Amino acid sequence: NVLLQSYHITNPDILIELFDNAEIDGDRVSVFHNNTLIVSNQTLLREPITFKVHADSSSRMHEFILVAENLGTIPPNTALMRVTADKQVYKLSVKTDLKTNAKIVFYYDGN
């Protein structure tokens, strides 16, 4: 797992959206949140795969791992992960293959 970014946030609500970041070519991904599968082998499209996570004082670290399930018809697997937290939008362009996964971590610093 390759750490792409880590962020400190104060708002407990985290919105994650996943899109294909290039030509729509059948890229499929899975996403783990703190080692729990939350997106299973879904195809990336123009419309986002969306999920929300709520942080709190008992759960401060939120690790997301994006796993390529295939390479689509145009390798590598390309995803755009758009994260909205603290009224900020973070955009991460992810290129993964079948050997390397992408990781992003959020640390909740709120009450």
Side-chain angles (χ1 to χ4, degrees):
N1 298 333
V2 176
L3 178 63
L4 297 179
Q5 290 286 346
S6 62
Y7 299 103
H8 287 266
I9 59 172
T10 57
N11 186 310
D13 297 311
I14 304 168
L15 172 67
I16 308 280
E17 298 170 288
L18 299 169
F19 306 84
D20 197 312
N21 195 32
E23 188 172 329
I24 306 297
D25 67 336
D27 290 335
R28 291 191 329 268
V29 298
S30 293
V31 177
F32 290 84
H33 170 241
N34 292 348
N35 295 320
T36 300
L37 182 66
I38 59 171
V39 173
S40 179
N41 200 15
Q42 290 195 26
T43 302
L44 296 171
L45 302 168
R46 284 185 181 83
E47 293 299 314
I49 299 167
T50 303
F51 53 96
K52 295 179 181 179
V53 172
H54 184 78
D56 59 37
S57 60
S58 66
S59 177
R60 294 196 176 273
M61 188 193 79
H62 294 273
E63 175 183 82
F64 298 95
I65 298 175
L66 180 74
V67 178
E69 297 292 353
N70 72 352
L71 299 178
T73 57
I74 308 168
N77 185 309
T78 55
L80 173 64
M81 181 182 283
R82 185 169 66 195
V83 181
T84 305
D86 285 341
K87 297 181 182 175
Q88 297 285 327
V89 177
Y90 307 94
K91 292 183 181 179
L92 295 161
S93 295
V94 180
K95 291 182 182 178
T96 57
D97 56 31
L98 300 178
K99 298 176 186 172
T100 305
N101 302 321
K103 177 169 70 169
I104 181 173
V105 179
F106 289 90
Y107 297 99
Y108 174 59
D109 295 334
N111 293 328

